[in-house]
Amino acid sequence: MPLTADFERIAAFVKARVPVDVCERMRALGWERDGQLVAGVLVYGWTGPAAWIHAAGEGQWMTRGFARAVFGYVFRDMGCERLFAAAEASNVKSLRFLSRLGYTTVAELDGAARDGGPMLIHQLLKEDCRYG
């Protein structure tokens, strides 16, 4: 699986698919197929024990191999113990995706979503991750 850490390409790829403000302290990991990015993650807000993530992809992109690469990077290489992700409560596809990866909902921010609804905060603990 060809992985890349080309920040500019990955940031543009993810930003074109999910609402994210790219900042300079973000770290990036992407997966290429036939020279084209098919998946990208941006990790940010790293405090040592925790970080936040934005992810996007095309087609069947969250394979076990890519999941192992992403979560191995965050939990093993960065040393995080927990990873946070946010999703709008109305975004059923993202909520199912996070649940399948093992995330649990830990907070609800009323009125924080773009549609005026709640934003749900999800957490994946290192010890609960099947891929890291």
Side-chain angles (χ1 to χ4, degrees):
M1 165 186 308
L3 297 174
T4 180
D6 183 336
F7 181 81
E8 296 302 322
R9 282 182 61 220
I10 297 165
F13 179 90
V14 173
K15 188 175 175 74
R17 289 157 181 82
V18 297
V20 59
D21 290 324
V22 176
C23 61
E24 62 187 58
R25 286 193 39 129
M26 286 181 162
R27 297 180 184 189
L29 186 64
W31 174 26
E32 295 178 318
R33 185 182 299 141
D34 299 323
Q36 298 295 314
L37 273 176
V38 295
V41 297
L42 298 173
V43 181
Y44 64 102
W46 181 54
T47 63
W52 289 78
I53 192 168
H54 283 291
E58 298 287 330
Q60 297 291 335
W61 62 275
M62 187 49 86
T63 64
R64 285 188 177 120
F66 189 59
R68 279 193 291 276
V70 169
F71 294 122
Y73 176 68
V74 171
F75 293 129
R76 184 188 57 245
D77 299 342
M78 291 179 68
C80 291
E81 295 295 322
R82 63 190 70 233
L83 186 59
F84 293 103
E88 297 178 352
S90 61
N91 189 339
V92 176
K93 186 177 177 182
S94 288
L95 297 177
R96 274 192 305 244
F97 175 75
L98 291 168
S99 178
R100 281 193 312 267
L101 289 172
Y103 281 84
T104 57
T105 304
V106 294
E108 182 175 318
L109 306 176
D110 291 332
R114 291 173 296 165
D115 63 4
M119 180 71 71
L120 302 178
I121 307 302
H122 304 272
Q123 172 182 261
L124 179 62
L125 298 175
K126 179 180 180 176
E127 63 263 19
D128 295 338
C129 183
R130 299 182 305 262
Y131 306 102

